Amino acid sequence: MLKIENIQAGYGNIIAIKNVSLEINEGEIITLIGANGAGKSTTLMTISGVVAARSGHIFFRNEPIEKKSSDDIVKLGICQVPEGRHIFPQLTVQENLDMGAFLRKDTAEIKKDLEYVFDLFPILAARKNQDGGTLSGGEQQMLAMSRALMARPQLLLLDEPSMGLAPLVIKQIFEIIKQINKENNTTIFLVEQNANQALHIADRAYVLENGEITLSGSAADLLKNSDIQKAYLGI
Ligand code: ATP
């Protein structure tokens, strides 16, 4: 579904990712794990067209997308939930969700998707007239994910969805990520520092260190890998 070939990207003189290559197949949950500053967010933002690729290629269903605008990338079916949620705090929950469907014109289908996200996160239905900024951290994460789902993505890019959340809420968020993948057939690329949780729901994983992919494999194999256990799982 998505193929990244030798991507390099950065900011001014900083090269944040170099020679990154990876593949995501339809229907998979793929996780990218790595320490602070490894280049995980940059990888996601390069896919979604927010950060420009300096070299290399990104193919979405065989179509090169590395030169497309982020709007066009959303229209193709790739949607990112950024780190730190970035919901619109002064807009209500409902208005935030409406913003997610901004590029769509299929009103009847939008209504169905709204029902779907309210089924996934009933708390959002209960809070739909409340300002986004007044939600708890976990509820804001749910809103950010739901807003992305309102664009009906085929590939959902999630940047650190567990960041700053209580353990119980993290568990709930990870369960819902799995549910979105299974029920909705949405392919998921999950960037996480919480490697343990991420590897437990992912099919395959890539490890990013100092801007380079150093290891990849099935999530089950990586969970058993002693280097990964020491570096990322605290075992
Ligand atoms: P974290 O888990 O802490 O979010 P990360 O793995 O997502 O880290 P990135 O945010 O992609 O890493 O950062 C990779 C490198 O690029 C870091 O050295 C960071 O300081 C640098 N960087 C990120 N954003 C910018 C920016 N807007 N301007 C300059 N440098 C940046």
Side-chain angles (χ1 to χ4, degrees), residues 3-231:
K3 188 173 191 179
I4 301 184
E5 280 179 0
N6 296 315
I7 279 289
Q8 178 160 314
Y11 312 90
N13 294 329
I14 298 168
I15 297 171
I17 53 170
K18 42 198 171 236
N19 295 324
V20 166
S21 296
L22 57 84
E23 281 183 35
I24 299 173
N25 301 309
E26 302 265 356
E28 281 188 310
I29 299 182
I30 299 295
T31 185
L32 180 66
I33 58 175
N36 265 326
K40 304 182 299 299
S41 298
T42 305
T43 305
L44 282 196
M45 289 192 290
T46 310
I47 298 170
S48 58
V50 176
V51 170
R54 291 185 181 172
S55 59
H57 300 285
I58 305 175
F59 298 96
F60 181 63
R61 297 191 168 133
N62 298 321
E63 181 182 352
I65 60 165
E66 70 274 2
K67 295 206 164 57
K68 288 192 185 294
S69 70
S70 37
D71 271 14
D72 284 343
I73 290 172
V74 172
K75 281 184 200 146
L76 282 176
I78 302 178
C79 205
Q80 180 173 354
V81 181
E83 184 179 320
R85 352 281 187 215
H86 297 287
I87 55 139
F88 301 106
Q90 268 125 28
L91 299 186
T92 65
V93 166
Q94 179 69 58
E95 288 163 345
N96 269 276
L97 294 172
D98 294 343
M99 294 298 283
F102 184 68
L103 293 171
R104 295 175 60 184
K105 294 185 175 61
D106 50 344
T107 319
E109 294 298 305
I110 292 172
K111 200 162 165 270
K112 273 194 212 157
D113 289 345
L114 191 61
E115 281 163 19
Y116 175 70
V117 299
F118 283 157
D119 275 351
L120 270 184
F121 300 111
I123 189 79
L124 295 183
R127 302 269 190 275
K128 68 178 174 193
N129 297 317
Q130 192 171 316
D131 283 354
T134 64
L135 298 177
S136 72
E139 289 161 1
Q140 289 192 19
Q141 182 60 43
M142 293 171 196
L143 179 57
M145 285 167 63
S146 299
R147 189 181 56 189
L149 287 174
M150 290 304 295
R152 200 178 269 192
Q154 291 158 55
L155 174 61
L156 184 62
L157 311 174
L158 297 173
D159 197 349
E160 306 254 9
S162 76
M163 190 191 260
L165 302 181
L168 248 158
V169 183
I170 293 177
K171 194 165 170 271
Q172 194 189 355
I173 294 282
F174 277 95
E175 275 164 12
I176 297 228
I177 293 170
K178 227 175 151 176
Q179 198 179 336
I180 293 168
N181 170 253
K182 293 280 163 296
E183 285 179 2
N184 217 23
N185 199 30
T186 307
T187 306
I188 291 179
F189 190 34
L190 169 67
V191 155
E192 261 300 335
Q193 276 195 49
N194 192 332
N196 188 33
Q197 296 271 7
L199 288 171
H200 275 99
I201 64 160
D203 298 299
R204 292 187 298 115
Y206 291 86
V207 180
L208 192 64
E209 289 178 338
N210 298 319
E212 290 183 271
I213 302 281
T214 52
L215 192 64
S216 64
S218 78
D221 283 349
L222 262 61
L223 274 170
K224 286 185 274 180
N225 179 307
S226 61
D227 291 338
I228 297 294
Q229 289 180 346
K230 260 186 253 146

